[in-house]
Amino acid sequence: MSADTVARGGIAAGPEGADDPVRPMRAFGLRVARVAQLTPHFRRITLTGEDLDLFGSGPGGETLDLRIKVLIPSPGHDLPELHAVRGSLQDDWYQNWRTLDESVRGAMRTYTVRDLRRAVPASSGFAGRAAELDIDFVLHPGGGSGPAGQWAGGATVGDSLTVIGPCARWGDCLGIEFAPGSAGRVLLVGDETAVPAIAAILESLPAHVSGHAVLEVPTAADFLDIAFPADVEVRWHARNGAGHGELMDADVRNVILPAACLRGEEPEEVDIDGALLWETPEATPGHGLYAWLAGEAAAIRGLRRYLVRDVGMDRNAVAFMGYWRMGQVLAA
Ligand SMILES: Cc1cc2nc3c(=O)[nH]c(=O)nc-3n(C[C@H](O)[C@H](O)[C@H](O)COP(=O)(O)OP(=O)(O)OC[C@H]3O[C@@H](n4cnc5c(N)ncnc54)[C@H](O)[C@@H]3O)c2cc1C
């Protein structure tokens, strides 16, 4: 590790600019441009920054379920050295960050790019626009947010945030898991933490794709206006105090019936309190239905079991991701 790296708080970052070495991930030093309280539990933070045009996306500019890391300073610590991190990250940046003292390194949490708008250069008659990145933060129902939720709840214009995401110059965009292949039908299921990803996926689906999106959010006031193809049905559910995941679980069983059963396979048990619930296969060509499930780990595990064992879906056509675990702080 170079002396420069140590001075930057242990995360190996290259210098900024055109000579920056090209690596898969970059740390982007961004600032809050706008804050919009979309609904009681969704707060959209729009970020901007000079190097945001180097932020990666899919081949057509899509972001789908593109995940990013946000770095939140510990209370009482300004962490100027973390906020000063810029540029390409060495492959071992994460291990280096983990070795720092917790009070120094702050908290790292995973979020989704809800939208990425490229800069529009000024031209005659047009003022131009800086690149912008939206993140929709969930303010945890009933309060009790961790560092990321608290940061979002208090964020104001001009605040800075370090975001770790893919580098556009690398080629492959790391962090996108949605891979339906040639599936003509989709099932998208998630709680409020997966709504930003599902909304971005729906907006990018080709017009011929059909299917269902089953979304569970804290209250009816959290239903969002999102765009989707004509043959996709979007089914919102307001939890209103019901058990987390119960409504989306019941609705998936309405939408995808076990009668469609071809062959049932018992998926292996995943210890969701000891391991990350995460499998994102690339859909095998020719499959009619591709399912993408994300949210609280126990809810997602139950649904995956239903789809693979009871409905008989090929496990290669089911991507499932535990985005968070009730009552636990997941290591970033
Ligand atoms: C790939 C991926 C993409 C994600 N995208 C988004 C996104 O776009 N927007 C978003 O808001 N979240 C998203 N999440 C989920 C987010 O990372 C977690 O909710 C995270 O725990 C929030 O961090 P925190 O610091 O607020 O709470 P933590 O410190 O991590 O947790 C504190 C406590 O709150 C509980 N908790 C965590 N999340 C919630 C919740 N949503 N509701 C109720 N209790 C909760 C925990 O179980 C714990 O007990 C994503 C997660 C992954 C893995």
Side-chain angles (χ1 to χ4, degrees):
M1 200 184 292
S2 70
D4 180 47
T5 299
V6 173
R8 287 161 183 260
I11 298 181
E16 268 188 280
D19 298 335
D20 211 356
V22 177
R23 294 198 178 273
M25 305 300 285
R26 279 182 75 87
F28 297 83
L30 305 179
R31 60 184 182 284
V32 176
R34 281 190 304 285
V35 176
Q37 191 69 43
L38 300 180
T39 72
H41 296 97
F42 284 115
R43 193 165 164 89
R44 176 165 297 166
I45 308 285
T46 298
L47 300 155
T48 190
E50 286 68 41
D51 57 350
L52 201 49
D53 273 330
L54 287 175
F55 201 96
S57 58
E62 69 281 4
T63 53
L64 303 169
D65 57 347
L66 173 53
R67 66 175 175 277
I68 51 176
K69 300 285 183 191
V70 300
L71 285 174
I72 311 290
S74 304
H77 289 76
D78 281 346
L79 298 182
E81 64 273 37
L82 278 179
H83 283 290
V85 168
R86 299 284 188 281
S88 294
L89 293 167
Q90 304 288 342
D91 294 341
D92 55 358
W93 68 269
Y94 179 70
Q95 287 75 13
N96 291 334
W97 177 81
R98 292 278 297 173
T99 61
L100 298 175
D101 186 82
E102 254 184 286
S103 66
V104 173
R105 71 177 190 227
M108 188 183 296
R109 296 288 184 270
T110 311
Y111 281 82
T112 305
V113 173
R114 174 62 185 88
D115 198 12
L116 175 66
R117 292 176 293 281
R118 299 289 177 192
V120 178
S123 60
S124 56
F126 293 100
R129 187 191 68 201
E132 290 183 336
L133 183 147
D134 293 336
I135 306 176
D136 286 358
F137 285 83
V138 172
L139 307 180
H140 303 185
S145 289
Q150 280 167 22
W151 178 87
T156 55
V157 171
D159 287 356
S160 52
L161 184 71
T162 298
V163 169
I164 293 175
C167 176
R169 286 150 64 196
W170 181 253
D172 283 350
C173 173
L174 301 189
I176 291 180
E177 303 295 353
F178 181 73
S182 55
R185 192 171 154 223
V186 293
L187 172 68
L188 308 169
V189 185
D191 66 14
E192 55 270 38
T193 62
V195 165
I198 292 177
I201 289 170
L202 284 170
E203 285 170 2
S204 301
L205 283 179
H208 70 268
V209 171
S210 64
H212 294 87
V214 176
L215 304 168
E216 184 187 295
V217 292
T219 67
D222 295 306
F223 296 174
L224 293 169
D225 209 3
I226 49 183
F228 48 88
D231 291 336
V232 174
E233 187 187 348
V234 176
R235 299 161 70 98
W236 289 95
H237 297 279
R239 192 174 305 120
N240 287 329
H244 199 102
E246 276 176 23
L247 301 176
M248 65 184 190
D249 188 283
D251 199 30
V252 168
R253 290 165 200 262
N254 286 329
V255 164
I256 308 286
L257 299 176
C261 187
L262 304 169
R263 64 189 169 86
E265 188 188 335
E266 185 70 48
E268 80 286 353
E269 208 38 53
V270 181
D271 169 17
I272 51 176
D273 293 319
L276 191 63
L277 183 75
W278 196 278
E279 192 170 293
T280 54
E282 198 145 328
T284 319
H287 272 292
L289 174 64
Y290 170 78
W292 182 105
L293 323 167
E296 199 283 324
I300 297 306
R301 181 175 63 178
L303 277 171
R304 187 235 183 183
R305 188 180 295 131
Y306 171 70
L307 291 174
V308 173
R309 185 190 61 192
D310 302 339
V311 175
M313 280 187 73
D314 187 319
R315 56 184 293 170
N316 286 328
V318 184
F320 59 97
M321 289 150 283
Y323 269 15
W324 62 286
R325 177 75 185 105
M326 186 78 76
Q328 282 188 24
V329 174
L330 296 181

